[in-house]
Amino acid sequence: MTLKDGKTGMTLKIQQIGDSELKERLMTMGLTPGTKVKVLRSAPLGDPIAIGVRSYNLALRRADAEMVTVEQVG
């Protein structure tokens, strides 16, 4: 499952981030393996999605969220 597939209200645990130009930047923003994130909401047309990471909210394009492999927790 990828972060793109997450539905509003789901709590997810990051497994890995696929190789891309954004990998290092996403990891710098707190999206590291083992981190729990919560899907907060998605824009009316589905792009971007807002997630809660650590102590802040982050908006990601669906194309970028598709590179993040996650598993559902709780």
Side-chain angles (χ1 to χ4, degrees):
M1 174 175 177
T2 65
L3 187 55
K4 172 186 163 187
D5 303 321
K7 305 293 182 208
T8 301
M10 289 177 91
T11 300
L12 308 167
K13 183 176 178 184
I14 297 176
Q15 298 298 311
Q16 70 177 10
I17 300 175
D19 291 330
S20 72
E21 296 174 1
L22 287 177
K23 180 176 181 174
E24 190 172 324
R25 184 174 173 105
L26 291 173
M27 292 181 78
T28 301
M29 290 189 286
L31 295 177
T32 55
T35 302
K36 291 182 183 176
V37 298
K38 184 168 184 173
V39 180
L40 301 175
R41 59 188 155 293
S42 120
L45 296 176
D47 201 16
I49 61 171
I51 59 172
V53 181
R54 301 180 191 250
S55 62
Y56 71 98
N57 298 338
L58 176 66
L60 284 176
R61 291 177 285 192
R62 286 210 178 260
D64 298 335
E66 190 172 18
M67 295 179 230
V68 181
T69 305
V70 296
E71 71 176 8
Q72 186 172 359
V73 293

